[in-house]
Amino acid sequence: MICRNDRERQGMRAAGRMAAELLRSVGERVRPGISTAELNELTRELMERAGTVSASYHYGPKKNPYPGYACFSLNDIIIHGIPSKDILLRDGDILSVDLAIFYKDFCGDNTATFRVGKVSPSADHLIRGTEEALMAGIQEAVAGHYVNDISAAIEAVARREGYGIVREFVGHGVGREMHEEPQVPNYTLPQRGLKLRPGMSLAIEPMFTLGSADIQNDPDGWTVRTRDHSLAAHVEHTILVTENRPEILTLP
Ligand code: MF3
Ligand code: CO
């Protein structure tokens, strides 16, 4: 896996900050009554104005490329929710927005789960737990540790809270491409995985569920839901392993 030099680290920082600022701006518009198609159009406009390019738009197979500028995953949708004028946000919903961009040759990838109006205590707790797991995972992203240390810290929070951990989708290296080596699972493996070194950049992204973590794929070829339709939360940061503490790149 690639370790980035100072110039590349600066590029990753710029892309990360751009991704974070866009995600925050989109999040400010999350409210009851808006559709995910409207949020997607806002995302498109904001990206164009900022001179940056969605990493998700037209990603994937040629015969069914992803059609949105970010992913909008409502309630039981775990990831890859396709924006639609028919998906209207309602009070009490939770919406994960996964926004990834290319800015000056580097990718910034981040996700937040937003509360629509006032949500139930269990939904609120799920989001908090997923955010706590992300931060716990990031704290382990220290030179000399292994990828599995990140996974273990994330898994520990899910186990403590009794949440399901989605296994089919994982975090990843991120740099000049959106998805690079290594994979960063949200559950432990028997192997330690790759040893972390300064200059590695990773997207860490726990996906937790209130019920079973079994998934179901919609016929659209993208949308991934919980099979039992329980709520799912997803949060993500792009981080840099350094000589010292990990650096979170996707902060506004
Ligand atoms: N940004 C996502 C990730 O966190 C990938 C989105 S792929 C898309 O890795 F095509 F669905 F947008
Ligand atoms: Co990602």
Side-chain angles (χ1 to χ4, degrees):
M1 197 229 170
I2 304 154
C3 291
R4 291 165 221 286
N5 63 29
D6 285 345
R7 209 184 55 82
E8 293 166 324
R9 292 183 194 195
Q10 280 306 112
M12 286 298 294
R13 288 188 184 104
R17 189 176 317 118
M18 174 67 78
E21 279 165 6
L22 289 165
L23 182 59
R24 184 175 64 177
S25 299
V26 175
E28 281 168 2
R29 296 283 291 274
V30 169
R31 55 171 171 74
I34 198 165
S35 71
T36 58
E38 288 172 278
L39 289 173
N40 183 60
E41 178 54 21
L42 169 71
T43 304
R44 191 193 65 74
E45 284 167 15
L46 290 170
M47 286 178 176
E48 188 176 284
R49 221 179 294 158
T52 190
V53 177
S54 169
S56 301
Y57 183 69
H58 281 184
Y59 179 88
K62 271 215 170 60
K63 51 180 183 0
N64 186 28
Y66 183 75
Y69 287 82
C71 300
F72 300 92
S73 304
L74 188 68
N75 294 333
D76 68 326
I77 303 180
I78 303 163
I79 52 162
H80 299 171
I82 292 178
S84 166
K85 61 177 174 32
D86 299 324
I87 302 179
L88 291 167
L89 305 190
R90 295 187 308 183
D91 190 55
D93 286 343
I94 65 173
L95 179 73
S96 301
V97 179
D98 184 342
L99 188 151
I101 50 100
F102 285 104
Y103 181 65
K104 296 185 182 166
D105 294 339
F106 290 98
C107 182
D109 189 3
N110 65 169
T111 305
T113 299
F114 298 104
R115 297 160 178 84
V116 183
K118 188 168 164 41
V119 306
S120 70
S122 60
D124 186 70
H125 194 263
L126 174 67
I127 295 171
R128 279 177 201 281
T130 313
E131 290 171 344
E132 182 188 337
L134 172 59
M135 296 317 290
I138 291 171
Q139 285 196 26
E140 291 299 317
V142 171
H145 288 192
Y146 293 82
V147 167
N148 206 41
D149 296 323
I150 299 173
S151 305
I154 293 170
E155 180 179 283
V157 176
R159 283 181 180 275
R160 189 194 76 204
E161 301 299 334
Y163 296 140
I165 301 175
V166 175
R167 304 181 73 86
E168 288 81 355
F169 300 91
V170 296
H172 48 93
V174 54
R176 291 182 189 273
E177 309 281 344
M178 174 161 60
H179 294 140
E180 298 184 355
E181 291 299 310
Q183 298 200 72
V184 184
N186 298 308
Y187 49 87
T188 48
L189 293 171
Q191 314 86 279
R192 296 189 291 192
L194 195 71
K195 188 173 184 170
L196 301 177
R197 288 189 291 145
M200 289 180 176
S201 44
L202 303 172
I204 303 177
E205 48 181 318
M207 292 153 236
F208 289 173
T209 63
L210 264 187
S212 161
D214 289 351
I215 67 163
Q216 172 189 303
N217 297 288
D218 279 14
D220 64 24
W222 282 104
T223 308
V224 180
R225 298 176 191 273
T226 55
R227 189 170 285 278
D228 64 5
H229 300 296
S230 64
L231 291 179
H234 176 205
V235 296
E236 174 180 30
H237 275 307
T238 296
I239 66 101
L240 182 70
V241 179
T242 75
E243 288 72 10
N244 305 297
R245 298 277 89 206
E247 195 177 320
I248 302 177
L249 302 182
T250 39
L251 293 175

